[in-house]
Amino acid sequence: AGTIMNSSHTPLLVWLYGAFLVQTLTPGSSTVQFQAQLGLTRETAFQILHKLRAAMVSPDREPLKDHVEVDEAYIGGKRPGAKGGRSTEYKTAVVGAVEVDADRFGFGKPRAGRVRFRVVEDVSQESLEPFIKDHVAKGTVVYTDGWEGYNNLRKLGYDHRPEVEGVPARAGVILPVIHREFGNLKTW
């Protein structure tokens, strides 16, 4: 009673195994994987996974700090009759931020720390700034691409370090960690 398992008809052992899987699988777990591993219906797997993820979020979590990569992406699949290419007509705009180790371009693969995502109406400055204010501590070194929606970050108290890459396909080179996180989000 009073837990995420309240009123559930799913056995406690399945909940505990599900919690173990969510905590230990590095790239996360999709509903389909979760369903197969626990022998559940798709709807039950989705509900349990959703409740476990929500329970893992601390309401008093501290903002991201030190070094943070921020970028935006459009999430969504192909739809019948949709335009090809980078059409955003049937996709959802998402902004993301991830803490990274200070030596982003040293030897070895840059490591991700804590991650935040938010669905936004569009990728304008009016949509991006509230996300950054809510999730990134002032004074943090913030790496972004050259998108104009981030132009005001220095005035807001961040050590903004925009990097411009003329070829959009190479955006993952200047912001490798957040692009890896967006890849994981799209996989989920």
Side-chain angles (χ1 to χ4, degrees), residues 135-170:
H135 295 289
V136 181
K138 298 244 191 258
T140 297
V141 177
V142 177
Y143 302 95
T144 67
D145 54 21
W147 178 243
E148 62 189 28
Y150 303 114
N151 286 349
N152 205 29
L153 292 183
R154 193 165 292 280
K155 292 178 188 171
L156 294 175
Y158 299 97
D159 182 357
H160 183 215
R161 299 186 187 176
E163 298 184 41
V164 178
E165 175 59 57
V167 181
R170 289 183 35 87

Side-chain angles (χ1 to χ4, degrees), residues 35-57:
Q35 174 187 357
Q37 288 175 309
L38 296 175
L40 302 170
T41 66
R42 187 174 180 98
E43 186 173 328
T44 302
F46 175 80
Q47 291 295 329
I48 290 175
L49 194 54
H50 179 73
K51 287 181 178 184
L52 287 169
R53 287 178 180 158
M56 291 170 43
V57 176

